[in-house]
Amino acid sequence: MDQDHLKNAKKATRRVGRLRSLGIVTVGAAALMAGMTAYKQQDQLFRTFVMPAVRLLPAETSHQLAVLACKYRLCPVSQYHDDQNLQTPFFGRMLSNPIGIAAGFDKNAEAVNGLQDLGFGFIEVGTVTPAAQEGNPKPRVFRLTDDKAIINRYGFNSEGHQAVLQRLRLLRKKENFNGVVGVNLGRNKTTMSPIADYVQGVRIFGPVADYLVINVSSPNTKGLRDMQSKEKLRELLEQVNDTKNSLDKNKNVPILLKLSPDLSLDDMKDIVWVIKRKKSSVDGLIVSNTTVSRENIGNNKLAEETGGLSGPPLKARSTEMIAQMYQLTDGKIPIIGVGGVASGYDAYEKIEAGASYIQIYTSLVYEGPALVDDIKAELSALITRLGHNNVADVVGTNSKFYLPNK
């Protein structure tokens, strides 16, 4: 084939690819809009017809459409009035409910208002890296539909500190915005100074965030989880705290540490030793991130994909780890529990294991936006039925049950 024919063939291929991408997005947008209308009319119709249709799209495309729907506030507004027994203190603020959206959904702080419309008590954006980066090559998100699970290897795709900072500043200027927003901080893939990346994140977002998360537990950035080791973590947290204390504004911003579910008990004991030291202390923990384990999943070829697994297969391990960390810290460090929560009962289990707050993400992909209200309603009913007055009364009440030596 001569050069002209080769060039023409390549151009034609690119045109087909662009048309195919446009077709996917158009179909996805139409399904999403139809879904929102259907949801407002009848939740069951949304769950039965729209969510399965949206899941026919590539996983990352569906994610992008969901973010856009929340960004432009096309999602339905929560119809559930939070019961008083769901109110709980949160690092100096008061949440109307303890259910938050985990980091990873709204990576660049585009969809905060829409997520608040869904009824979340708090919202975590990120992971945000200092410089913008593309993340890992596509495809990088995979649905394990039979298990209602997801494997992702996004690799901290981020628009960078400055883009996210500008959005949060604009959000804070709105008189009617009173949401609780945390920022999940990461490091750039090719950085030569990982600790400096986190320090920069604290300096940049400390003044505008309700809390900051030090994320050293994602399995999708090479070498990142090594920073959970005793000495590296101590050095990191000492510098993070020094930076926080030097802030001109909001120097009491809470610092939370997000942990991997793949840590051993000895690893956890080392981490507790670090965070009990005044210079390297944290205000809270997030338990847990995604797992590299492939336990508790069916026979699915997609399980061979590398990346972090989330959803129901992670539920038991994350709950067990919450109980372990609750016991190791004597219940003195608040825990946000995340991993496999798809119902109010799942949330209650994690709270009685030791979590003060709950985050969801993967279950939202499979169940749709009405899940937030469903979880809150069931959780509230359980709190009352089991003889408690509020969320705080439940925290850690059954933590010993989940320990492996029971």
Side-chain angles (χ1 to χ4, degrees), residues 50 57 116 250 253 283 291 297:
V50 178
L57 298 170
Q116 195 173 29
N250 203 24
V253 59
D283 300 287
T291 179
I297 57 177

Side-chain angles (χ1 to χ4, degrees), residues 45-267:
L45 184 63
F46 186 91
R47 290 178 188 263
T48 305
F49 297 104
V50 178
M51 290 304 296
V54 171
R55 287 199 297 271
L56 293 175
L57 298 170
E60 188 163 349
T61 302
S62 295
H63 180 187
Q64 291 167 345
L65 289 170
V67 172
L68 285 173
C70 289
K71 178 179 180 178
Y72 293 107
R73 305 184 83 166
L74 302 175
C75 293
V77 177
S78 170
Q79 299 301 307
Y80 178 78
H81 181 72
D82 292 348
D83 195 286
Q84 192 170 352
N85 67 1
L86 294 179
Q87 292 182 8
T88 190
F90 184 87
F91 304 107
R93 298 286 301 271
M94 182 61 71
L95 301 180
S96 65
N97 72 79
I99 309 301
I101 180 75
F105 178 82
D106 187 9
K107 294 175 179 291
N108 297 300
E110 299 174 274
V112 175
N113 281 313
L115 288 167
Q116 195 173 29
D117 289 344
L118 295 183
F120 284 108
F122 64 105
I123 294 155
E124 189 171 313
V125 302
T127 298
V128 190
T129 56
Q133 62 179 29
E134 292 291 329
N136 291 324
K138 300 176 183 179
R140 52 193 179 181
V141 192
F142 308 91
R143 300 189 195 94
L144 280 65
T145 305
D146 290 345
D147 299 291
K148 293 193 172 181
I150 288 176
I151 292 173
N152 94 80
R153 52 170 181 264
Y154 272 117
F156 290 172
N157 52 314
S158 172
E159 291 182 12
H161 282 178
Q162 290 305 315
V164 175
L165 176 64
Q166 293 307 313
R167 291 191 184 108
L168 291 179
R169 281 177 173 169
L170 289 173
L171 197 66
R172 294 297 184 193
K173 287 180 181 178
K174 294 181 179 179
E175 292 182 4
N176 62 343
F177 182 80
N178 63 348
V180 174
V181 181
V183 181
N184 187 296
L185 302 174
R187 45 158 276 201
N188 280 117
K189 184 177 182 178
T190 58
T191 185
M192 300 301 292
S193 51
I195 290 179
D197 281 14
Y198 290 98
V199 165
Q200 182 181 336
V202 173
R203 188 178 298 114
I204 293 288
F205 292 106
V208 297
D210 290 297
Y211 68 95
L212 298 173
V213 180
I214 305 301
N215 185 355
V216 288
S217 52
S218 169
N220 300 319
T221 296
K222 186 176 180 181
L224 183 75
R225 297 203 296 178
D226 295 342
M227 297 182 76
Q228 294 175 115
S229 64
K230 190 174 182 178
E231 287 306 315
K232 287 183 179 179
L233 185 63
R234 179 190 60 78
E235 182 183 2
L236 168 63
L237 292 177
E238 284 184 359
Q239 293 196 37
V240 161
N241 283 328
D242 285 344
T243 303
K244 181 182 91 163
N245 293 333
S246 70
L247 293 174
D248 293 328
K249 180 182 178 183
N250 203 24
K251 63 174 57 184
N252 292 320
V253 59
I255 302 292
L256 280 67
L257 177 67
K258 188 164 186 173
L259 299 176
S260 163
D262 302 317
L263 295 168
S264 69
L265 185 58
D266 285 340
D267 292 333

